[in-house]
Amino acid sequence: MSTPLTTDVTNYVSPTLLRSEIDNRIVKIRPSSTPLDQISRMAGARQSGSMKVEYYSVDIKPATATVQTSLIAKSYPEGDCFKVTVKENSAFSPSDTLFFPTVTNSAGEQLICYVAETNGREISLTPINIDINDEGEYAVPTIAADTTIVRMGRAAGELDVQTAQFVTLPKKDDNLCQIFKAQIEESLLQRLSDKEVGWTFSDQEEVAILDMRMCMERSFLFGRKKTITVAGKPVMLTGGIWHQAKKDFKYSPDSLTDKDLIAMMRRAFSDSNGSTRKILLAGSGLIERLNTLDHTRVISGNQRVTKWGVDFDHLVSKFGSLYVARCEVFDLCGMDDYGMVIDPEYITKYSHIPFSAERISFHKQGVRNTEAVVLTEASCLVLRYPAAHMRIIPQR
């Protein structure tokens, strides 16, 4: 509100209380309204010495690669390698063994090869299960573009001491802490209400904190990282985790079936990233569609659990478990059919200014006959393993 509230500032609120145990206190205010902020607070925040947070994220080395240029069937002399170019740089290393699921030899077996040498995206391969003919040659079948190649175990010789180095470098990224504020201002002359919540916050303060958390929730989810200048001073805006995730799942909202749900869970838990228990935050449209599905023995969805202070519906499949909760942010942003799967193990909150309260006496300053409590936090959320999280996008 733009005008002060005409109730006295409660004597129970103090900066010391807020600074020392704020996360344990704040999370008691309607946790289901702000599930993302709730989870990040319950997990604890890392202290940041700067408003700009720099962090490293890394995924495991990819298990597959795809062929870039087709290789026409051809014969090669025994002992010579044939070469294949893949789209992904540094996907394979010398001594890797490779499996071609869709390429077969003359006996109908899937092709298996040994990586003899690599040169960027070009790999030299020795076939394992192709026979040598009477002319001392072996015939490589056609390998089409976009063929999937699966990386298997390395093969070393008896006298080999070393092998090609395993290299996977973390990628450096950054986010900006945003300064969130809320102000509760009350008259010193009268009290409108003596009602208090269970842990001594007044009703007006509770509403202000709830509104602050809900606005933070929207920024943590959909915010765009940028520094702008306002009245000659820099203002930092935090980037939301929606833009940090690396995976998408698209579905048809008008024809969502059990098979789509199974495919969604497969996609969420695939690529060997993250844990087997993740959280689905969804708009009311997606929640409605999920509730209309008839869950079978493949997916069980009759359980209701409470974790991090939030009530979830528990979906269990052979791929993993999803804790499903409605997120009001999607509805408010006109994205009620959207959702996001997050891995709570790999979401980190950085805090430059922990949630704190400062008492300001406008009465002593001669401004007006009121006192105020200003709530402040400077923080941001980051995804440490972007491929462990997934956006769910309707496609019409």
Side-chain angles (χ1 to χ4, degrees), residues 340-366:
M340 185 172 184
V341 175
I342 62 174
D343 191 330
E345 296 294 330
Y346 300 115
I347 184 170
T348 302
K349 180 177 182 178
Y350 285 95
S351 178
H352 181 59
I353 301 175
F355 206 113
S356 60
E358 181 181 3
R359 186 189 296 271
I360 299 177
S361 177
F362 292 111
H363 171 72
K364 293 180 180 179
Q365 296 176 3

Side-chain angles (χ1 to χ4, degrees), residues 153-386:
R154 287 182 172 176
E158 180 181 355
L159 301 181
D160 290 344
V161 176
Q162 294 180 315
T163 186
Q165 296 183 13
F166 180 89
V167 178
T168 175
L169 297 176
K171 297 180 181 179
K172 189 174 184 180
D173 207 341
D174 63 81
N175 201 355
L176 301 176
C177 290
Q178 184 169 324
I179 301 176
F180 302 95
K181 282 184 174 289
Q183 181 169 320
I184 307 99
E185 192 172 339
E186 300 170 322
S187 169
L188 294 172
L189 300 180
Q190 57 181 318
R191 298 173 182 267
L192 291 178
S193 174
D194 291 330
K195 183 180 179 181
E196 298 173 352
V197 296
W199 56 286
T200 73
F201 264 100
S202 70
D203 291 335
Q204 298 296 340
E205 288 164 333
E206 179 181 355
V207 172
I209 291 175
L210 175 61
D211 179 74
M212 180 179 178
R213 290 188 67 190
M214 294 181 70
C215 291
M216 292 172 67
E217 182 98 346
R218 298 160 202 165
S219 295
F220 286 155
L221 193 56
F222 294 121
R224 278 291 186 179
K225 179 184 68 175
K226 191 171 184 180
T227 301
I228 61 175
T229 301
V230 179
K233 298 180 180 179
V235 176
M236 293 184 176
L237 307 177
T238 193
I241 63 172
W242 176 266
H243 309 293
Q244 300 175 29
K246 295 298 184 182
K247 288 198 300 188
D248 292 332
F249 177 81
K250 297 181 180 180
Y251 76 101
S252 175
D254 298 327
S255 58
L256 183 65
T257 64
D258 289 338
K259 291 183 179 180
D260 296 323
L261 177 57
I262 295 173
M264 182 184 73
M265 297 189 76
R266 175 185 177 182
R267 176 70 173 153
F269 292 99
S270 64
D271 300 331
S272 302
N273 285 296
S275 63
T276 58
R277 295 184 178 183
K278 299 186 180 183
I279 297 168
L280 169 58
L281 303 179
S284 59
L286 179 54
I287 293 293
E288 179 183 7
R289 288 172 172 81
L290 291 176
N291 286 336
T292 60
L293 298 179
D294 294 326
H295 302 301
T296 65
R297 60 183 178 85
V298 179
I299 294 183
S300 172
N302 297 323
Q303 301 180 15
R304 188 135 178 108
V305 297
T306 300
K307 294 180 69 68
W308 304 285
V310 180
D311 294 330
F312 293 98
D313 288 317
H314 193 199
L315 294 180
V316 181
S317 74
K318 299 297 190 294
F319 299 103
S321 300
L322 275 183
Y323 295 104
V324 183
R326 175 176 172 264
C327 181
E328 298 179 11
V329 176
F330 287 100
D331 292 354
L332 290 172
C333 296
M335 302 170 65
D336 54 300
D337 286 328
Y338 288 71
M340 185 172 184
V341 175
I342 62 174
D343 191 330
E345 296 294 330
Y346 300 115
I347 184 170
T348 302
K349 180 177 182 178
Y350 285 95
S351 178
H352 181 59
I353 301 175
F355 206 113
S356 60
E358 181 181 3
R359 186 189 296 271
I360 299 177
S361 177
F362 292 111
H363 171 72
K364 293 180 180 179
Q365 296 176 3
V367 177
R368 52 184 173 268
N369 196 27
T370 62
E371 289 192 355
V373 174
V374 178
L375 309 175
T376 304
E377 177 176 307
S379 59
C380 65
L381 293 185
V382 301
L383 302 180
R384 289 189 289 133
Y385 290 84

Side-chain angles (χ1 to χ4, degrees), residues 66-70 84-87 121 144-147:
T66 51
V67 176
Q68 182 178 40
T69 306
S70 298
V84 173
T85 302
V86 295
K87 296 180 180 179
R121 292 185 290 114
D146 296 325
T147 295

